[in-house]
PDB file of all heavy atoms in Angstrom:
ATOM      1  N   ASN A 368     -47.173 -11.674  19.977  1.00  0.00           N
ATOM      2  CA  ASN A 368     -45.808 -12.024  20.393  1.00  0.00           C
ATOM      3  C   ASN A 368     -45.371 -11.219  21.608  1.00  0.00           C
ATOM      4  O   ASN A 368     -44.678 -11.734  22.485  1.00  0.00           O
ATOM      5  CB  ASN A 368     -44.837 -11.784  19.240  1.00  0.00           C
ATOM      6  CG  ASN A 368     -45.032 -12.771  18.111  1.00  0.00           C
ATOM      7  OD1 ASN A 368     -45.551 -13.857  18.315  1.00  0.00           O
ATOM      8  ND2 ASN A 368     -44.636 -12.383  16.905  1.00  0.00           N
ATOM      9  N   ALA A 369     -45.802  -9.959  21.671  1.00  0.00           N
ATOM     10  CA  ALA A 369     -45.451  -9.132  22.827  1.00  0.00           C
ATOM     11  C   ALA A 369     -46.090  -9.667  24.097  1.00  0.00           C
ATOM     12  O   ALA A 369     -45.473  -9.690  25.169  1.00  0.00           O
ATOM     13  CB  ALA A 369     -45.884  -7.692  22.580  1.00  0.00           C
ATOM     14  N   ILE A 370     -47.347 -10.137  23.975  1.00  0.00           N
ATOM     15  CA  ILE A 370     -48.009 -10.717  25.153  1.00  0.00           C
ATOM     16  C   ILE A 370     -47.314 -11.982  25.613  1.00  0.00           C
ATOM     17  O   ILE A 370     -47.088 -12.211  26.804  1.00  0.00           O
ATOM     18  CB  ILE A 370     -49.492 -10.998  24.823  1.00  0.00           C
ATOM     19  CG1 ILE A 370     -50.238  -9.683  24.558  1.00  0.00           C
ATOM     20  CG2 ILE A 370     -50.159 -11.779  25.949  1.00  0.00           C
ATOM     21  CD1 ILE A 370     -51.664  -9.882  24.086  1.00  0.00           C
ATOM     22  N   VAL A 371     -46.927 -12.820  24.653  1.00  0.00           N
ATOM     23  CA  VAL A 371     -46.227 -14.062  24.994  1.00  0.00           C
ATOM     24  C   VAL A 371     -44.881 -13.768  25.647  1.00  0.00           C
ATOM     25  O   VAL A 371     -44.491 -14.386  26.638  1.00  0.00           O
ATOM     26  CB  VAL A 371     -46.048 -14.925  23.729  1.00  0.00           C
ATOM     27  CG1 VAL A 371     -45.169 -16.131  24.025  1.00  0.00           C
ATOM     28  CG2 VAL A 371     -47.401 -15.381  23.218  1.00  0.00           C
ATOM     29  N   ASP A 372     -44.157 -12.780  25.103  1.00  0.00           N
ATOM     30  CA  ASP A 372     -42.865 -12.415  25.683  1.00  0.00           C
ATOM     31  C   ASP A 372     -43.032 -11.897  27.103  1.00  0.00           C
ATOM     32  O   ASP A 372     -42.225 -12.186  27.980  1.00  0.00           O
ATOM     33  CB  ASP A 372     -42.191 -11.341  24.826  1.00  0.00           C
ATOM     34  CG  ASP A 372     -41.757 -11.893  23.483  1.00  0.00           C
ATOM     35  OD1 ASP A 372     -41.623 -13.129  23.378  1.00  0.00           O
ATOM     36  OD2 ASP A 372     -41.566 -11.090  22.541  1.00  0.00           O
ATOM     37  N   LEU A 373     -44.132 -11.156  27.345  1.00  0.00           N
ATOM     38  CA  LEU A 373     -44.382 -10.652  28.689  1.00  0.00           C
ATOM     39  C   LEU A 373     -44.666 -11.772  29.661  1.00  0.00           C
ATOM     40  O   LEU A 373     -44.199 -11.776  30.802  1.00  0.00           O
ATOM     41  CB  LEU A 373     -45.562  -9.667  28.653  1.00  0.00           C
ATOM     42  CG  LEU A 373     -45.939  -9.004  29.988  1.00  0.00           C
ATOM     43  CD1 LEU A 373     -44.765  -8.180  30.498  1.00  0.00           C
ATOM     44  CD2 LEU A 373     -47.173  -8.131  29.822  1.00  0.00           C
ATOM     45  N   ASP A 374     -45.422 -12.775  29.194  1.00  0.00           N
ATOM     46  CA  ASP A 374     -45.711 -13.922  30.059  1.00  0.00           C
ATOM     47  C   ASP A 374     -44.448 -14.702  30.378  1.00  0.00           C
ATOM     48  O   ASP A 374     -44.250 -15.170  31.496  1.00  0.00           O
ATOM     49  CB  ASP A 374     -46.742 -14.838  29.392  1.00  0.00           C
ATOM     50  CG  ASP A 374     -48.108 -14.168  29.292  1.00  0.00           C
ATOM     51  OD1 ASP A 374     -48.352 -13.229  30.073  1.00  0.00           O
ATOM     52  OD2 ASP A 374     -48.906 -14.577  28.429  1.00  0.00           O
ATOM     53  N   PHE A 375     -43.568 -14.858  29.400  1.00  0.00           N
ATOM     54  CA  PHE A 375     -42.346 -15.619  29.617  1.00  0.00           C
ATOM     55  C   PHE A 375     -41.363 -14.876  30.510  1.00  0.00           C
ATOM     56  O   PHE A 375     -40.569 -15.495  31.205  1.00  0.00           O
ATOM     57  CB  PHE A 375     -41.678 -15.937  28.278  1.00  0.00           C
ATOM     58  CG  PHE A 375     -42.224 -17.144  27.617  1.00  0.00           C
ATOM     59  CD1 PHE A 375     -42.677 -17.088  26.305  1.00  0.00           C
ATOM     60  CD2 PHE A 375     -42.325 -18.337  28.300  1.00  0.00           C
ATOM     61  CE1 PHE A 375     -43.193 -18.207  25.702  1.00  0.00           C
ATOM     62  CE2 PHE A 375     -42.843 -19.464  27.701  1.00  0.00           C
ATOM     63  CZ  PHE A 375     -43.276 -19.393  26.397  1.00  0.00           C
ATOM     64  N   SER A 376     -41.420 -13.534  30.473  1.00  0.00           N
ATOM     65  CA  SER A 376     -40.491 -12.767  31.297  1.00  0.00           C
ATOM     66  C   SER A 376     -40.741 -12.977  32.772  1.00  0.00           C
ATOM     67  O   SER A 376     -39.855 -12.837  33.601  1.00  0.00           O
ATOM     68  CB  SER A 376     -40.607 -11.277  30.959  1.00  0.00           C
ATOM     69  OG  SER A 376     -41.908 -10.791  31.291  1.00  0.00           O
ATOM     70  N   ASP A 377     -41.998 -13.328  33.144  1.00  0.00           N
ATOM     71  CA  ASP A 377     -42.302 -13.592  34.550  1.00  0.00           C
ATOM     72  C   ASP A 377     -41.617 -14.852  35.044  1.00  0.00           C
ATOM     73  O   ASP A 377     -41.327 -14.996  36.229  1.00  0.00           O
ATOM     74  CB  ASP A 377     -43.824 -13.735  34.746  1.00  0.00           C
ATOM     75  CG  ASP A 377     -44.547 -12.437  34.412  1.00  0.00           C
ATOM     76  OD1 ASP A 377     -43.896 -11.369  34.494  1.00  0.00           O
ATOM     77  OD2 ASP A 377     -45.746 -12.490  34.047  1.00  0.00           O
ATOM     78  N   GLY A 378     -41.336 -15.783  34.147  1.00  0.00           N
ATOM     79  CA  GLY A 378     -40.671 -17.027  34.540  1.00  0.00           C
ATOM     80  C   GLY A 378     -39.255 -17.091  34.048  1.00  0.00           C
ATOM     81  O   GLY A 378     -38.792 -18.132  33.625  1.00  0.00           O
ATOM     82  N   SER A 379     -38.532 -15.941  34.107  1.00  0.00           N
ATOM     83  CA  SER A 379     -37.179 -15.886  33.570  1.00  0.00           C
ATOM     84  C   SER A 379     -36.225 -16.777  34.343  1.00  0.00           C
ATOM     85  O   SER A 379     -35.309 -17.364  33.781  1.00  0.00           O
ATOM     86  CB  SER A 379     -36.680 -14.438  33.586  1.00  0.00           C
ATOM     87  OG  SER A 379     -36.721 -13.915  34.914  1.00  0.00           O
ATOM     88  N   ASP A 380     -36.448 -16.888  35.658  1.00  0.00           N
ATOM     89  CA  ASP A 380     -35.564 -17.738  36.452  1.00  0.00           C
ATOM     90  C   ASP A 380     -35.675 -19.186  36.025  1.00  0.00           C
ATOM     91  O   ASP A 380     -34.670 -19.896  35.908  1.00  0.00           O
ATOM     92  CB  ASP A 380     -35.919 -17.607  37.945  1.00  0.00           C
ATOM     93  CG  ASP A 380     -35.644 -16.197  38.463  1.00  0.00           C
ATOM     94  OD1 ASP A 380     -34.816 -15.496  37.821  1.00  0.00           O
ATOM     95  OD2 ASP A 380     -36.263 -15.808  39.464  1.00  0.00           O
ATOM     96  N   GLU A 381     -36.942 -19.611  35.771  1.00  0.00           N
ATOM     97  CA  GLU A 381     -37.114 -20.988  35.344  1.00  0.00           C
ATOM     98  C   GLU A 381     -36.485 -21.208  33.980  1.00  0.00           C
ATOM     99  O   GLU A 381     -35.905 -22.255  33.715  1.00  0.00           O
ATOM    100  CB  GLU A 381     -38.607 -21.328  35.292  1.00  0.00           C
ATOM    101  CG  GLU A 381     -39.280 -21.274  36.663  1.00  0.00           C
ATOM    102  CD  GLU A 381     -40.746 -21.601  36.556  1.00  0.00           C
ATOM    103  OE1 GLU A 381     -41.198 -21.848  35.418  1.00  0.00           O
ATOM    104  OE2 GLU A 381     -41.434 -21.600  37.580  1.00  0.00           O
ATOM    105  N   ASP A 382     -36.585 -20.201  33.083  1.00  0.00           N
ATOM    106  CA  ASP A 382     -35.997 -20.337  31.758  1.00  0.00           C
ATOM    107  C   ASP A 382     -34.494 -20.450  31.835  1.00  0.00           C
ATOM    108  O   ASP A 382     -33.870 -21.224  31.118  1.00  0.00           O
ATOM    109  CB  ASP A 382     -36.376 -19.140  30.884  1.00  0.00           C
ATOM    110  CG  ASP A 382     -37.868 -19.127  30.555  1.00  0.00           C
ATOM    111  OD1 ASP A 382     -38.476 -20.202  30.691  1.00  0.00           O
ATOM    112  OD2 ASP A 382     -38.385 -18.054  30.185  1.00  0.00           O
ATOM    113  N   GLU A 383     -33.868 -19.636  32.775  1.00  0.00           N
ATOM    114  CA  GLU A 383     -32.424 -19.688  32.899  1.00  0.00           C
ATOM    115  C   GLU A 383     -31.972 -21.047  33.400  1.00  0.00           C
ATOM    116  O   GLU A 383     -30.992 -21.613  32.919  1.00  0.00           O
ATOM    117  CB  GLU A 383     -31.954 -18.588  33.856  1.00  0.00           C
ATOM    118  CG  GLU A 383     -32.141 -17.173  33.277  1.00  0.00           C
ATOM    119  CD  GLU A 383     -31.758 -16.107  34.286  1.00  0.00           C
ATOM    120  OE1 GLU A 383     -31.370 -16.498  35.417  1.00  0.00           O
ATOM    121  OE2 GLU A 383     -31.836 -14.909  33.964  1.00  0.00           O
ATOM    122  N   SER A 384     -32.710 -21.606  34.376  1.00  0.00           N
ATOM    123  CA  SER A 384     -32.326 -22.921  34.876  1.00  0.00           C
ATOM    124  C   SER A 384     -32.505 -23.986  33.811  1.00  0.00           C
ATOM    125  O   SER A 384     -31.703 -24.904  33.677  1.00  0.00           O
ATOM    126  CB  SER A 384     -33.171 -23.282  36.113  1.00  0.00           C
ATOM    127  OG  SER A 384     -34.548 -23.336  35.756  1.00  0.00           O
ATOM    128  N   TYR A 385     -33.586 -23.827  33.012  1.00  0.00           N
ATOM    129  CA  TYR A 385     -33.795 -24.788  31.913  1.00  0.00           C
ATOM    130  C   TYR A 385     -32.660 -24.704  30.907  1.00  0.00           C
ATOM    131  O   TYR A 385     -32.163 -25.720  30.431  1.00  0.00           O
ATOM    132  CB  TYR A 385     -35.144 -24.501  31.242  1.00  0.00           C
ATOM    133  CG  TYR A 385     -35.434 -25.414  30.077  1.00  0.00           C
ATOM    134  CD1 TYR A 385     -36.033 -26.647  30.280  1.00  0.00           C
ATOM    135  CD2 TYR A 385     -35.095 -25.032  28.781  1.00  0.00           C
ATOM    136  CE1 TYR A 385     -36.299 -27.490  29.214  1.00  0.00           C
ATOM    137  CE2 TYR A 385     -35.354 -25.871  27.715  1.00  0.00           C
ATOM    138  CZ  TYR A 385     -35.970 -27.086  27.946  1.00  0.00           C
ATOM    139  OH  TYR A 385     -36.224 -27.902  26.893  1.00  0.00           O
ATOM    140  N   ASP A 386     -32.245 -23.469  30.565  1.00  0.00           N
ATOM    141  CA  ASP A 386     -31.152 -23.305  29.597  1.00  0.00           C
ATOM    142  C   ASP A 386     -29.863 -23.905  30.130  1.00  0.00           C
ATOM    143  O   ASP A 386     -29.081 -24.490  29.381  1.00  0.00           O
ATOM    144  CB  ASP A 386     -30.943 -21.825  29.284  1.00  0.00           C
ATOM    145  CG  ASP A 386     -32.125 -21.243  28.508  1.00  0.00           C
ATOM    146  OD1 ASP A 386     -32.848 -22.057  27.898  1.00  0.00           O
ATOM    147  OD2 ASP A 386     -32.305 -20.006  28.534  1.00  0.00           O
ATOM    148  N   GLU A 387     -29.622 -23.740  31.453  1.00  0.00           N
ATOM    149  CA  GLU A 387     -28.408 -24.317  32.022  1.00  0.00           C
ATOM    150  C   GLU A 387     -28.425 -25.833  31.917  1.00  0.00           C
ATOM    151  O   GLU A 387     -27.427 -26.465  31.554  1.00  0.00           O
ATOM    152  CB  GLU A 387     -28.286 -23.895  33.489  1.00  0.00           C
ATOM    153  CG  GLU A 387     -27.992 -22.392  33.660  1.00  0.00           C
ATOM    154  CD  GLU A 387     -27.973 -22.006  35.125  1.00  0.00           C
ATOM    155  OE1 GLU A 387     -28.202 -22.912  35.969  1.00  0.00           O
ATOM    156  OE2 GLU A 387     -27.730 -20.832  35.429  1.00  0.00           O
ATOM    157  N   ILE A 388     -29.577 -26.421  32.219  1.00  0.00           N
ATOM    158  CA  ILE A 388     -29.668 -27.883  32.127  1.00  0.00           C
ATOM    159  C   ILE A 388     -29.499 -28.338  30.695  1.00  0.00           C
ATOM    160  O   ILE A 388     -28.798 -29.309  30.388  1.00  0.00           O
ATOM    161  CB  ILE A 388     -31.031 -28.379  32.690  1.00  0.00           C
ATOM    162  CG1 ILE A 388     -31.131 -28.050  34.173  1.00  0.00           C
ATOM    163  CG2 ILE A 388     -31.193 -29.863  32.467  1.00  0.00           C
ATOM    164  CD1 ILE A 388     -32.488 -28.382  34.766  1.00  0.00           C
ATOM    165  N   ALA A 389     -30.157 -27.610  29.747  1.00  0.00           N
ATOM    166  CA  ALA A 389     -30.060 -27.991  28.341  1.00  0.00           C
ATOM    167  C   ALA A 389     -28.636 -27.887  27.828  1.00  0.00           C
ATOM    168  O   ALA A 389     -28.148 -28.771  27.128  1.00  0.00           O
ATOM    169  CB  ALA A 389     -30.981 -27.098  27.497  1.00  0.00           C
ATOM    170  N   SER A 390     -27.937 -26.788  28.211  1.00  0.00           N
ATOM    171  CA  SER A 390     -26.563 -26.629  27.736  1.00  0.00           C
ATOM    172  C   SER A 390     -25.646 -27.679  28.328  1.00  0.00           C
ATOM    173  O   SER A 390     -24.789 -28.236  27.642  1.00  0.00           O
ATOM    174  CB  SER A 390     -26.050 -25.226  28.092  1.00  0.00           C
ATOM    175  OG  SER A 390     -26.054 -25.038  29.503  1.00  0.00           O
TER     176      SER A 390
END
Side-chain angles (χ1 to χ4, degrees):
N368 291 337
I370 295 174
V371 173
D372 291 340
L373 182 62
D374 292 338
F375 276 127
S376 64
D377 297 336
S379 58
D380 295 338
E381 296 179 359
D382 292 341
E383 291 176 359
S384 61
Y385 179 86
D386 292 339
E387 291 176 359
I388 296 174
S390 61

